[in-house]
Amino acid sequence: KPQSEAVWHILGPAEPRPKLTIHVRQHVEAATHTWYIIESSLVMDSNNSKCKLDWISPRRLAHLRKHLHLPVREAFKELYSTHFAGAAFALRLGPPGTTKRLRKWFFKLADCINAKLAPPQVVALTLRFLETPGSDGAN
């Protein structure tokens, strides 16, 4: 649980902890644009009763950069280069290797979220950007 948009509340060892996975499966060309197919999964393991939510979020590189990468970078501030070492974000214009770069970057992002290295505001931003089912406030 977050204490604020920048600080996590420490959970006890018996409290359930969700795990987020984000994987860029592939890219496709449609309507003169390249779309990256992002597969996400949120798993809650509580009292040996697993609940899992899977969804797909097609996104363009420009949207990934503007609405996720840049805000994540700003939120991490000087710690960004430490937490995302070895996972440089995709280059502009989507040259060959872009999907591979995005896979590494999203792996690091999910890893930071699961390890509570990402501020709560980054978690909320990520889940909203990927349009997690139910994240619009409706049940």
Side-chain angles (χ1 to χ4, degrees), residues 42-126:
L42 194 56
V43 178
M44 177 63 82
D45 188 357
S46 173
N47 300 326
N48 297 324
S49 171
K50 286 193 176 181
C51 298
K52 185 175 181 185
L53 180 63
D54 296 312
W55 71 99
I56 295 173
S57 311
R59 296 289 183 271
R60 291 181 45 210
L61 183 57
H63 300 147
L64 291 168
R65 181 182 314 284
K66 180 178 179 181
H67 301 294
L68 187 62
H69 173 253
L70 291 176
V72 165
R73 192 177 180 98
E74 288 172 9
F76 272 97
K77 299 180 173 126
E78 65 278 351
L79 293 175
Y80 179 85
S81 58
T82 301
H83 294 310
F84 288 84
F89 193 74
L91 300 172
R92 294 188 186 278
L93 304 177
T98 297
T99 301
K100 184 177 180 180
R101 281 177 170 253
L102 289 173
R103 282 181 185 141
K104 285 183 177 182
W105 190 84
F106 272 108
F107 179 83
K108 289 280 191 172
L109 176 60
D111 196 42
C112 286
I113 288 171
N114 293 329
K116 291 189 177 178
L117 299 172
Q121 68 189 33
V122 168
V123 178
L125 169 73
T126 301

